Amino acid sequence: MSAKAIYEAKGKEILNKFLGHHAVKNRYATVTVDTNWDQLVIDHPWLSTEKLIVKPDQLIKRRGKLGLIKVNTDLQGVKDWLANKIGKDFQIGKAVGKLKNFIVEPFVPHEQNEEFYVCIYSHRSADTVLFHHEGGVDIGNVDDKAVKVDVSVGENLTEQDIKDKLLTKVPADKQEILSQFIAALYKIYVDLYFTYLEINPLVVTKGVVHVLDLAAKLDQCGEYLCKQQWGEVDFPPPFGRDAYPEEAAIADLDAKTGASLKLTVLNKSGRIWTMVAGGGASVIYADTICDLGGASELANYGEYSGAPNEQQTHEYAKTVLSLMTQEKHPDGKILIIGGGIANFTNVATTFKGIVKALREYQQQLIEHNVKIYVRRAGPNYQEGLRVMRELGETLGVPIHVFGPETHMTAIVGMALGTREVPRPQPKQLTTANFLLPGGSPSVSRKGSDAELHKPGSKGGDTNTSMEAQLSSNKEISHEPLFTRTTKAIIWGMQNRAVQGMLDYDFVCSRKEPSVVAQVYPFVGDHKQKFYFGHKEVLIPVYKNMADAMKKHPDADVLVSFASLRSAYDSTIETMQYPQIRTIAIIAEGIPENLTRKINKMAREKGVTIIGPATVGGIKPGCFKIGNTGGMLDNILASKLYRPGSIAYVSRSGGMSNELNNIISLNTDGVCEGVAIGGDR
């Protein structure tokens, strides 16, 4: 989920559309530095005839206590008050920003005892509705004071429940109108994919409801479902951080590609700039920079991931470099081009785009005294590091290049001077020649197979040692998700991922491929050719899921490469077949409301869900999901072809691969690992 705050004016516009008779329609006018007051009065005649209230609309909390609300004034009073505020710097805590967006509304006369508080927010298995019979600026710690009711996913909030559980301290003459309002508000909250909605105060006076102050967040992933109902939505940055056109350009580029491209400017004058591959890696690099004392100089936050092509990476890199070279820093600047071990992103392709951008900005990089630190691994990373090293010989800017032999965040310490820059050590490459006829095996397949089946082994068809310990506890019912005989159906025509799974099966000495079928509703039934070792195998592709399930009753795993728009429906359909015990949902960007419905049904049916927004998981020696573990050279280097004794859970696909590498270097290897994903 991507919960994004919206302007108060936008939130009230949405409520105006759908609340109907349950509340007085909000009248408001937005004022900025460029506002033409004469035209504004023509558009909103009530501005010159009614008492008014004015306040900033910039995601600022506790505006009343900060002195940022002017109430019960006329139009001239609004202008006079704004003259000292609009376009001026204002400090809230440590954040300093300009007040530049205000909302003006009619003042609603009312008594203190007519103010109430209501808030709705979402979490994993339910929505929580908070209510307090006293609202306003002095409400204090509402979590301790308010009464609450949890509404489970898929259930309704009835007016009677509201009266019985939330309105017990509300005067009897206001209970009916409030219960109707809250019930209608909750329906809008669910239907329009809100993730947070707070009204304080909510005023009930003269028999009608007024929404005075409002704060709201929408699930941006639900935009494709609610675009028409929402209308045009701007998601403003937090107070104290300006929105840059470069951020909008990257967001537009991101919307046009299946890859993920994100950019947030934190401190345009900062010294430390990053160009990081992967969402998980971007968090770790930012945290490491802050831990080493670079927080005040961290200029940006973002990521490129999901296999962007050379042109997309080039545009992304150009945008970062254009921002980086706008202001000079007396100590020079640092560019960290980092990332974990990619699962499927072609490192050479992305690096060629970055190298092209670096060449275009060569003169500016020299003038700004930039030092570049690179660390990356994954598919074709050797070629990517080679072109980066060659660039360092001609660019005129120091470039330090490292691969998977160097810890992912080590380059941060090098860049900030907390550790020395070592000479790169040659890395012994692991190849997959043994997959070819006559190839010399780097790994003994016989030895691997024997290790899996020897008594007390951590792999094989039986439980791992961890699983055996869990099974010894009679109160825990535990069955392994994957074994050496696990069979999977793939939703989607992801032939590269399927071939990767078959290559992994062969490396692990499985007797049969783990993939038994593919489902793709946009083609007719046919068979697709793949390789199991050096032998050709034909895997059937079905148009209908029912046919695949009927003809392959031994398949108990479904790996879904469905798009974010079709993943929900295809997952719900899959759970109608009792043979499926595990579903891995690769797609990211699925709205949280839909994900919660999937999870609820999965719990009811005893199905394990991995994802959404996951690369999958791996059980060495048994089975891997999709692109997990990356290419064969990484699988061999990380010893993922046979079981170890370390298990892990990761939120990030790239970081799960990084864990595979770290664990293999320091222990006997991985026994099971999963990237649980998640968009929140």
Side-chain angles (χ1 to χ4, degrees), residues 17 232 237 293 459 478 539 559 639:
K17 289 182 184 178
E232 291 298 323
H478 181 78
I539 293 180
V559 181
K639 304 181 182 68

Side-chain angles (χ1 to χ4, degrees), residues 579-627:
Q579 70 188 68
I580 298 298
R581 298 190 307 116
T582 304
I583 302 174
I585 306 172
I586 309 301
E588 64 177 317
I590 300 174
E592 185 177 81
N593 277 357
L594 300 184
T595 301
R596 296 192 303 170
K597 290 178 181 178
I598 289 173
N599 287 337
K600 181 180 180 181
M601 179 178 285
R603 285 193 297 271
E604 293 170 352
K605 292 181 174 291
V607 175
T608 298
I609 300 292
I610 301 175
T614 180
V615 72
I618 191 166
K619 186 167 185 179
C622 294
F623 178 77
K624 81 161 186 148
I625 296 171
N627 294 302

